[in-house]
Amino acid sequence: METTRSIAHMDLDSFFVSVERLFDSRLDGKPILIGGSSDRGVVASCSYEARRFGVHSAMPMRVARQLCPEAIIVRGDFEKYSQKSHEVTDIVRESVPLFEKSSIDEFYMDLTGMDRFFGCFKLAHELRQRIIKETGLPISLGLSENKTVSKVATGEAKPNNERQIPFGQEKPFLAPLSVRKIPMIGEKTSQTLYNMGVKKVQTLQQMPAELLKATFGKNGNMIWEKANGIDRNPVIPYSEAKSISSENTFEQDTIDVKMLEATLTAMCEQLASKLRQKGQLTACVTVKIRYSDFETHTMQQRIPYTSADHTLLPIVKELFRKLYSRRLLIRLIGVRFSTLVYGNYQINLFEDSQEQINLYQALDRLNVKYGDKTVCRAVAMSVGRRRFNPFNGMET
């Protein structure tokens, strides 16, 4: 007989705003916008008080200020947010045997079998209380037999609360909710469903899976399953060791610093682009040098979570300059990004204008469509195109 799973989902409430309030209690209860203060900036996050005015993340700051003129704008500090995210991760790691960090502020935990010793909801509840007590951050919890229903349950429990959906109650729980509440149903998909007269999950549950497949292709089947509370996806164990990297062994050992820095630029651009394509962020950068006598040196630096090459490049170059001390011929150089998490924070929303965000997205689309280095920094043009191996996360 198959064991019923117990999957907990936890999500830190208005994470950036909550962290700012820890450092400045005057922000409590006020409408807060996190992001660039100029009209051309973008809202990275906003408080529940600001959301009541129709403000949401990724909205142009100009529009948000029109909707909520009394909002307090905070520029944001990704270093602080990264640090608090690491603190929560450490508590989760100490408390449960198997967890997935699906973004900077979101976790899944597989508690299957724990009910025999402790009670899954009791364990999840006590972990949530510990996080609140030790970090001062509000966090919401959902518990069910799969990831989709638990994530929706967390959303329904917010802010700063918890909800359990007993086994067998998944369909009735989801039925009255808007189709937008189902993970993976975004604006485009929901608009198509609205045009079909589908607004509530209950209608989706009653539709034949074949009809959804005909409309949305292979995603149609997934939408139908999620609407019916079916999700077999496992919790993927989180490891800070997971990384992507790129190495280059030169045909001839070299001390040409300009060529070495051009190579590092090309590697950094392509790895950062890979992160953005996968919707990932890195919090650790490592540079590696192997000299002609085969002596190998590495240096790493912890950084605030990012996937922007204009943030990563100066760090890579600085690590290289610190490492390259022997003035010997270099045989190999490499770059690695590790401590990866998934997150929709793609670039530096606190500094970048909408135009710069659009530029990054356009560059990524061109490089995906036509191949790496279709568009890149001029200095990297001199370096040959590199091939990415998806099986080991390495470039060759």
Side-chain angles (χ1 to χ4, degrees):
M1 191 178 128
E2 204 174 312
T3 312
T4 303
R5 295 190 304 163
S6 288
I7 309 295
H9 174 264
M10 287 192 197
D11 193 354
L12 289 151
D13 298 331
S14 296
F15 178 51
F16 296 172
V17 173
S18 299
V19 174
E20 291 298 338
R21 284 173 170 165
L22 277 181
F23 290 89
D24 186 353
S25 60
R26 290 172 302 176
L27 300 176
D28 290 353
K30 305 243 173 68
I32 311 294
L33 307 178
I34 309 272
S37 54
S38 77
D39 279 352
R40 293 169 65 177
V42 174
V43 177
S45 179
C46 57
S47 66
Y48 286 101
E49 293 83 358
R51 289 179 203 182
R52 292 190 195 115
F53 292 86
V55 178
H56 57 78
S57 57
M59 174 181 275
M61 189 59 79
R62 178 179 43 80
V63 177
R65 286 163 79 175
Q66 285 167 356
L67 289 170
C68 186
E70 64 265 50
I72 299 166
I73 298 168
V74 180
R75 192 177 168 278
D77 181 343
F78 222 71
E79 201 157 336
K80 277 196 298 205
Y81 309 148
S82 297
Q83 182 51 45
K84 294 309 276 187
S85 175
H86 293 314
E87 281 178 32
V88 177
T89 306
D90 288 342
I91 295 169
V92 173
R93 186 187 283 112
E94 284 171 21
S95 308
V96 297
L98 175 57
F99 76 97
E100 173 182 337
K101 185 173 181 176
S102 56
S103 77
I104 187 171
D105 54 1
E106 189 177 9
F107 302 83
Y108 289 98
M109 296 147 230
D110 192 337
L111 307 179
T112 307
M114 305 287 279
D115 48 347
R116 281 179 295 178
F117 312 103
F118 201 73
C120 294
F121 192 64
K122 186 170 186 280
L123 175 66
H125 164 80
E126 291 188 1
L127 172 55
R128 177 176 163 260
Q129 292 303 322
R130 184 184 164 194
I131 291 167
I132 293 167
K133 187 181 174 190
E134 292 185 20
T135 69
L137 296 169
I139 187 167
S140 293
L141 156 71
L143 180 73
S144 77
E145 78 92 35
N146 67 57
K147 289 167 91 171
T148 294
V149 177
S150 294
K151 186 177 172 73
V152 178
T154 301
E156 293 303 290
K158 280 178 177 286
N160 204 22
N161 216 325
E162 49 196 47
R163 183 143 184 199
Q164 180 179 17
I165 311 303
F167 180 67
Q169 292 300 304
E170 297 85 3
K171 269 182 80 169
F173 161 66
L174 295 170
L177 302 178
S178 160
V179 290
R180 279 303 298 267
K181 295 283 178 81
I182 300 288
M184 88 172 274
I185 295 186
E187 209 169 314
K188 247 174 137 180
T189 306
S190 62
Q191 201 50 59
T192 308
L193 288 168
Y194 294 161
N195 294 341
M196 294 165 70
V198 180
K199 290 186 178 174
K200 298 286 183 195
V201 175
Q202 186 168 15
T203 317
L204 266 182
Q205 292 174 345
Q206 293 163 350
M207 289 171 77
E210 293 73 30
L211 177 58
L212 289 170
K213 204 171 176 186
T215 311
F216 300 105
K218 62 180 181 187
N219 283 341
N221 209 44
M222 221 183 299
I223 292 169
W224 185 87
E225 287 193 341
K226 284 179 182 285
N228 281 279
I230 301 163
D231 179 1
R232 301 172 193 86
N233 288 316
V235 170
I236 299 158
Y238 173 68
S239 164
E240 294 204 341
K242 282 181 182 170
S243 64
I244 59 169
S245 58
S246 179
E247 287 184 356
N248 186 68
T249 303
F250 298 103
E251 286 181 22
Q252 281 189 313
D253 298 352
T254 182
I255 50 166
D256 183 343
V257 172
K258 276 192 171 175
M259 188 188 77
L260 291 165
E261 289 201 350
T263 306
L264 287 169
T265 299
M267 288 174 172
C268 185
E269 280 188 336
Q270 288 166 37
L271 290 175
S273 180
K274 290 288 179 302
L275 287 177
R276 293 193 297 273
Q277 286 168 39
K278 292 176 168 181
Q280 287 182 311
L281 310 165
T282 178
C284 187
V285 176
T286 306
V287 172
K288 174 179 176 181
I289 288 178
R290 181 168 295 147
Y291 291 103
S292 52
D293 62 359
F294 283 86
E295 192 173 309
T296 304
H297 297 260
T298 62
M299 189 178 281
Q300 69 176 39
Q301 186 176 324
R302 288 295 287 265
I303 59 166
Y305 282 112
T306 187
S307 60
D309 13 335
H310 68 264
T311 305
L312 293 162
L313 251 177
I315 294 158
V316 167
K317 286 181 178 177
E318 187 191 350
L319 288 174
F320 170 69
R321 285 170 197 144
K322 285 179 181 173
L323 260 184
Y324 186 34
S325 56
R326 294 185 68 206
R327 300 299 169 219
L328 275 181
L329 289 164
I330 286 180
R331 175 184 173 81
L332 171 150
I333 55 172
V335 176
R336 184 172 80 242
F337 298 153
S338 56
T339 313
L340 307 181
V341 297
Y342 286 92
N344 54 13
Y345 169 87
Q346 295 295 345
I347 49 188
N348 198 335
L349 290 173
F350 311 129
E351 293 171 5
D352 296 339
S353 64
Q354 187 66 53
E355 289 92 332
Q356 192 160 7
I357 293 168
N358 292 342
L359 174 65
Y360 260 91
Q361 291 168 345
L363 292 177
D364 289 341
R365 280 197 298 273
L366 285 168
N367 287 326
V368 168
K369 189 169 182 181
Y370 298 108
D372 287 339
K373 290 188 67 186
T374 300
V375 188
C376 66
R377 284 168 176 77
V379 69
M381 290 298 288
S382 58
V383 182
R385 187 172 289 192
R386 310 176 63 72
R387 291 189 307 278
F388 189 78
N389 183 338
F391 298 106
N392 62 11
M394 291 279 287
E395 297 231 13
T396 54

